[in-house]
Amino acid sequence: MTLNKITAGKDDPDTGFAIATYNIHSCLGTDGAFRPDRVAQAIRALDADLIGLQEVGWALRGPSGFDQFAFLERETGYTVIPGLVRHHANAHFGNAILSRHPVESVAPLDLSLPYHSPRGGIDARIRVKGRSVRLINVHLGLIPLERRIQIRRIGLRLLDGWRGPALVCGDLNHWRRTSPAMQRLHRLLPGGVTGQTYPSALPTMMFDRILATGDLHLENHQVIRTEGTRVASDHLPLMAWFRFEGADALSEDAA
């Protein structure tokens, strides 16, 4: 499959944007090779406005002290917002948001639980086409109880008074929309998309998701399965195209 270049707001570029989520597996490919250049190439090919990355960094995958966050910023041209869940002198590991648009604010989201691997997210507000858009990028845990608590924390963060467009993306490690926890999240973010993204060589699992509030209209979505993405990571990128709905889609700067 090649990358479908249908984009949101094709006839009205002022209201459309593209977002992707991609677990890059610390730049360790399915062939066992540490190749951050392949991940950077895949990111450039997406040509998205916003990208949520998971599993960025880690000394056990790649040379000690190699800064994957800085490398990806340099090689892709995006502003990279890091969200570390592990950090010491020779290694750092976590999530990242990549943006082509001005970043207004960033806050960490703690999703770690006792006796489980550290988990976290990034809660950013980004100026996209004249609108302030909230993007939360997360990587949830492997245990159902762990995910239920983490999804509750995400929901509470979304209910903190924000009234504008919002998106949650990431590797949710969760494939059943019918679970009570996922149903609660989908009530807050009804514009959800997923696809078979894992494992990248022969994808059957729908771990990765992009969820959106009702004031964002979904135009299209696609799992990006190419020769490059099949080998660059054990996950495939998931991409979605949205446009702002209604009168609120007009630039606040022009009001």
Side-chain angles (χ1 to χ4, degrees), residues 53-55 82-86 93-97 107-113 116-123 136-141 146 150 153-154 157 168-173:
L53 299 181
Q54 304 84 43
E55 292 194 21
L84 301 181
V85 296
R86 298 177 185 172
F93 178 76
N95 308 302
I97 289 176
L109 176 57
D110 183 12
L111 298 174
S112 294
L113 297 174
H116 293 79
S117 297
R119 299 285 178 175
I122 308 168
D123 184 354
I136 298 178
N137 174 39
V138 298
H139 189 188
L140 302 190
E146 182 185 9
Q150 290 166 340
R153 289 183 186 177
I154 296 167
R157 180 66 72 94
V168 171
C169 73
D171 179 358
L172 273 60
N173 275 314

Side-chain angles (χ1 to χ4, degrees), residues 86-110:
R86 298 177 185 172
H87 182 60
H88 56 79
N90 296 319
H92 45 271
F93 178 76
N95 308 302
I97 289 176
L98 279 56
S99 176
R100 284 180 169 167
H101 299 275
V103 178
E104 297 179 327
S105 67
V106 179
L109 176 57
D110 183 12

Side-chain angles (χ1 to χ4, degrees), residues 63-81:
S64 177
F66 181 81
D67 190 335
Q68 293 185 28
F69 297 90
F71 175 86
L72 292 176
E73 183 167 67
R74 183 173 66 251
E75 295 297 317
T76 66
Y78 284 88
T79 296
V80 173
I81 306 167

Side-chain angles (χ1 to χ4, degrees), residues 6-101:
I6 296 173
T7 58
K10 190 173 183 180
D11 298 324
D12 188 0
D14 291 335
T15 64
F17 66 95
I19 177 173
T21 183
Y22 189 18
N23 183 325
I24 66 171
H25 195 51
S26 302
C27 298
L28 185 68
T30 55
D31 58 358
F34 175 72
R35 291 281 305 276
D37 58 307
R38 294 190 300 204
V39 171
Q41 182 178 8
I43 289 170
R44 289 193 300 268
L46 293 175
D47 196 29
D49 294 273
L50 305 169
I51 304 175
L53 299 181
Q54 304 84 43
E55 292 194 21
V56 186
W58 198 12
L60 297 181
R61 297 172 183 167
S64 177
F66 181 81
D67 190 335
Q68 293 185 28
F69 297 90
F71 175 86
L72 292 176
E73 183 167 67
R74 183 173 66 251
E75 295 297 317
T76 66
Y78 284 88
T79 296
V80 173
I81 306 167
L84 301 181
V85 296
R86 298 177 185 172
H87 182 60
H88 56 79
N90 296 319
H92 45 271
F93 178 76
N95 308 302
I97 289 176
L98 279 56
S99 176
R100 284 180 169 167
H101 299 275

